[in-house]
Amino acid sequence: MFSSQSAEINLETHLSSLESVQGDRSTNRFLAGSCSVGEPNFLCVLRFHSSLNELGIDAHLEHATGPVGVICCNPNDSKQVLTVAQESQTATLWTIPEEVISRDDEPEYNPEGGGTVELNQPQDEDHALEQVATLVDFEGEGPIVDMSWRFTGSDFGEPPSDLAGGSVLSLDRVGRVTLWDIEALQTVKSAAAGKETTTSKPRILAPRMAWDPHNPETLAVTAGEGVRLIDWRTDATVTSDSISQITRAHRYGVCDVDYNPNKPHVLATSGQDGLLKFWDLRQNSRPLLLTARGGHSHYASRIKYNPFHDQLVLSCGTDGVENLWRASSISSAPLLDEDGEQNVRVVRQEHGDAVTALSWGAADAWVYMSAAYDGKVRLNHVPSKEKYKILL
C-alpha cells in the first residue's frame, strides 16, 4: 500500500486502450488492448503482484474483431467486458474465462537463476474470450469512440440506476450518444451533442464523454473546442440556458473530460493546448483552476480524477508524459498544507512514446497505470507523503 516504486512491463505491441478490471475489488488487474495492423490483436490481462512490486501477464486473449479501440469493463462483474474495434460501429460483449480472471498464483523466487523472480506465464493455449453478444445501433452515424458502464450496485452508497434498465453509454465519432439496456441488448434512447463549438477547422479529434457520478441523467460530451451537457430528462441537448455548454474550453480542441467524483458540478478537461482546466458548471464563463503551463508540451490527451480522493488527478499526453496532480483547493476536502502548495504537480513520469491511456486501480485507491503506444505499461503509486496529507 505504501510502496513508491514503479513496475513496468513491455507487451511488445502497439497499445491504444487500457482499463482496470472494475469488478475486482481485491486484486489490481488491468486489461490492455493491442492495435496492430495486419497481425492478430489481443486483450492482455495484467496483474500487479504487490508483494514483489511486479507486473505479470496472466493471459493474451485473442481479440477476433480487430485492433482494440475501446475497453469498457463491467463494474458489477469482473468477467464481463465490452470492446470496440477501431473504426467499428458495433460493440462486442465478451466473457473472460474464470480461470484467467480469478488467477491468484504468485511468482516464484529462483535462487539457482541468480536470484531472479520467475513471473507467472500467460495462459494462452487453453483459454479464449467468449463472445456473448454484439451491440448494434442501426441509427448510428459513425464508429464508436467511447463507452461507459455505470456501476449499479450499492457498495459506495449509490442507488441503482433507474434509467429504464440502461447502464451503458456509447458515443460515436459524430457526437451521438446512445443509452443501452445491456440485459435486453437494445437501445433505450439517444441524443446528439450538437455541432462542435469551433470556428477554426473541421473535427479532427474524436469526441469523449463523461457520465455524471452524482446524477445518472446527465453527461458531458466534448465537441471541438467546447463541452456540451446532455440531460436525458429533456431527450435532447440542453441549449436554452448559460450552463448547457462551455463554448471555448480549450484552444484548438478538447481531448478529454471527467467529472469530480466527490464534488457535484465540477468538471475537468484536457486539451490540444496542453492545459488542464477545472470548471464549475453553475458558472462556467471561466475555469475554477488552470494548471500551470509546462505540464504538457503537446496534446494533453487524457485526464482522470481519482475515484475516491478528488484531490488527485492524472493526465497524460502525446508528449510521452504522465503527470499526477494535486488539485486541492477545488476539491471536496482541501488539504491544510504547511508548505502552502495546494495545487501542484506531484509526480512526472516519461515514456518513450505517446501515452495513449490511463487508469486508476479498482482494488487500491493509490495505484494507477499508464500505457504508451510502443507497448510499455507502467504501474505507479501515489507517493506516501501525498497519501498522509490526504488521510491525516
Side-chain angles (χ1 to χ4, degrees):
M1 175 180 176
F2 294 101
S3 173
S4 59
Q5 297 180 348
S6 298
E8 187 174 300
I9 193 169
N10 191 344
L11 300 180
E12 299 180 351
T13 184
H14 294 311
L15 298 176
S16 63
S17 51
L18 174 75
E19 180 74 17
S20 60
V21 178
Q22 296 293 318
D24 191 339
R25 304 292 198 274
S26 60
T27 304
N28 279 304
R29 303 180 200 268
F30 297 83
L31 300 179
S34 68
C35 57
S36 300
V37 178
E39 55 187 69
N41 286 276
F42 299 89
L43 276 185
C44 299
V45 183
L46 308 174
R47 177 159 50 106
F48 176 58
H49 302 276
S50 57
S51 60
L52 298 169
N53 199 57
E54 294 282 356
L55 277 173
I57 305 173
D58 280 350
H60 290 101
L61 303 176
E62 184 172 358
H63 190 255
T65 56
V68 185
V70 179
I71 300 174
C72 183
C73 293
N74 185 340
N76 307 293
D77 186 348
S78 61
K79 298 189 296 295
Q80 285 196 334
V81 60
L82 281 164
T83 66
V84 181
Q86 290 182 347
E87 301 301 321
S88 174
Q89 292 185 247
T90 62
T92 306
L93 178 63
W94 308 91
T95 295
I96 302 173
E98 177 70 31
E99 297 82 358
V100 172
I101 206 63
S102 62
R103 191 174 176 185
D104 59 1
D105 55 315
E106 289 295 327
E108 296 181 357
Y109 182 75
N110 182 13
E112 297 180 357
T116 59
V117 174
E118 295 183 350
L119 290 176
N120 43 291
Q121 297 300 309
Q123 296 180 346
D124 299 333
E125 297 181 358
D126 301 328
H127 301 289
L129 290 169
E130 178 187 349
Q131 184 170 337
V132 178
T134 300
L135 304 185
V136 181
D137 183 3
F138 295 102
E139 298 180 5
E141 301 177 29
I144 297 173
V145 294
D146 199 5
M147 298 197 77
S148 179
W149 199 326
R150 192 178 184 89
F151 180 72
T152 56
S154 56
D155 285 359
F156 307 116
E158 180 181 344
S161 171
D162 58 354
L163 291 177
S167 58
V168 171
L169 286 178
S170 64
L171 172 68
D172 66 22
R173 188 178 293 275
V174 299
R176 185 172 181 272
V177 183
T178 301
L179 177 67
W180 295 85
D181 183 337
I182 197 66
E183 294 182 0
L185 299 176
Q186 63 184 15
T187 60
V188 177
K189 59 178 75 174
S190 62
K195 297 180 180 179
E196 50 182 271
T197 57
T198 178
T199 57
S200 53
K201 54 188 176 182
R203 174 174 298 179
I204 298 176
L205 278 174
R208 296 277 295 175
M209 67 177 174
W211 207 339
D212 189 344
H214 309 282
N215 184 356
E217 303 285 356
T218 60
L219 60 143
V221 181
T222 66
E225 295 175 358
V227 178
R228 294 291 178 89
L229 303 183
I230 292 177
D231 190 328
W232 289 114
R233 292 165 295 190
T234 66
D235 287 326
T237 304
V238 182
T239 57
S240 59
D241 55 54
S242 60
I243 67 168
S244 64
Q245 58 184 322
I246 305 171
T247 56
R248 291 291 297 270
H250 290 268
R251 189 179 183 185
Y252 311 125
V254 183
C255 296
D256 200 14
V257 61
D258 196 21
Y259 277 97
N260 186 312
N262 298 337
K263 190 175 181 180
H265 313 297
V266 175
L267 194 71
T269 59
S270 64
Q272 283 190 320
D273 52 10
L275 298 176
L276 312 180
K277 297 183 182 182
F278 299 83
W279 308 85
D280 186 336
L281 298 179
R282 296 165 297 183
Q283 188 177 1
N284 60 11
S285 57
R286 58 184 302 175
L288 286 170
L289 175 67
L290 174 67
T291 62
R293 294 183 182 274
H296 292 283
S297 59
H298 206 244
Y299 301 167
S301 54
R302 294 290 181 266
I303 186 169
K304 281 189 178 296
Y305 266 106
N306 184 294
F308 300 99
H309 307 290
D310 61 320
Q311 300 93 340
L312 301 174
V313 179
L314 289 174
S315 70
C316 69
T318 52
D319 55 358
V321 173
E322 60 170 291
N323 291 314
L324 172 64
W325 302 88
R326 181 200 306 159
S328 172
S329 67
I330 56 170
S331 69
S332 59
L335 303 178
L336 300 177
D337 190 354
E338 295 178 357
D339 300 332
E341 291 282 354
Q342 291 222 346
N343 308 304
V344 66
R345 180 168 58 187
V346 178
V347 177
R348 181 182 189 272
Q349 296 272 357
E350 289 189 11
H351 280 266
D353 207 336
V355 185
T356 55
L358 286 170
S359 181
W360 287 97
D364 188 339
W366 311 110
V367 165
Y368 59 95
M369 182 179 282
S370 59
Y373 183 70
D374 61 6
K376 291 183 179 179
V377 294
R378 179 184 294 149
L379 184 140
N380 288 301
H381 300 79
V382 176
S384 298
K385 182 179 179 181
E386 203 66 23
K387 300 176 191 175
Y388 287 128
K389 288 180 181 179
I390 294 173
L391 294 175
L392 300 180

